[in-house]
Amino acid sequence: MEAMEADAARMEDSAPAQSAHLYETMSRHLADSNFPGHAEQMRRRQASAARAAGEAQASFAILADLAVKKIHSGSTDSRFPERDFGDLAVEIGGAAQAKYAVLSAIADWYGRGTRLSDTIPALEELVAAREPDAGLLCCLVLEQAVVDN
């Protein structure tokens, strides 16, 4: 595993797509071996390498998946650790921007409460785009709205 990680790190500049693939392989192996924290770290590296390879949508998808998992974990930390997540959403636009807006509002609920004026239009865009996480995100926003009364 260490050799594979060293190879992936060495290829980040010269062959970022191959590096991303190696990080993905390591992430799966670590998750299957019950090392979720280490698997998450490899997913973050995979997202970074994918973006370096010009695969903005793949990078965004990885970071969005990590954000959903963070929310599901019950984390009350409203900050996403990935600096590039919002930038990627803007770069890609459309449903990615809407998904980022909803995920940000959900994650920041503990600090700012429900922001239905932001989330409802974004959720409508996600539903129209047939975003696979749209139903889940709708339920999470509804749950927060009920709690906020």
Side-chain angles (χ1 to χ4, degrees), residues 8-129:
R10 212 174 9 265
M11 290 191 300
E12 282 180 12
D13 291 330
S14 61
Q18 288 87 341
S19 177
H21 179 71
L22 285 175
Y23 284 130
E24 178 184 18
T25 300
M26 286 184 287
S27 175
R28 276 198 219 130
H29 178 72
L30 288 163
D32 291 346
S33 300
N34 205 25
F35 292 100
H38 292 88
E40 182 179 321
Q41 182 181 25
M42 290 301 128
R43 293 283 287 163
R44 290 184 202 301
R45 290 181 182 176
Q46 178 192 1
S48 178
R51 184 160 191 196
E55 298 172 10
Q57 291 198 339
S59 180
F60 181 85
I62 293 164
L63 297 176
D65 182 60
L66 290 172
V68 168
K69 286 180 176 153
K70 180 179 179 181
I71 290 166
H72 270 285
S73 76
S75 173
T76 59
D77 181 4
S78 64
R79 296 164 292 150
F80 292 118
E82 295 77 28
R83 281 179 286 175
D84 297 343
F85 193 29
D87 295 340
L88 276 168
V90 170
E91 179 183 326
I92 297 166
Q97 220 166 345
K99 188 169 188 175
Y100 178 77
V102 173
L103 286 168
S104 295
I106 290 169
D108 196 29
W109 172 68
Y110 298 99
R112 296 183 56 195
T114 304
R115 295 182 295 184
L116 295 177
S117 62
D118 295 338
T119 56
I120 290 174
L123 288 168
E124 289 172 341
E125 186 170 346
L126 292 176
V127 170

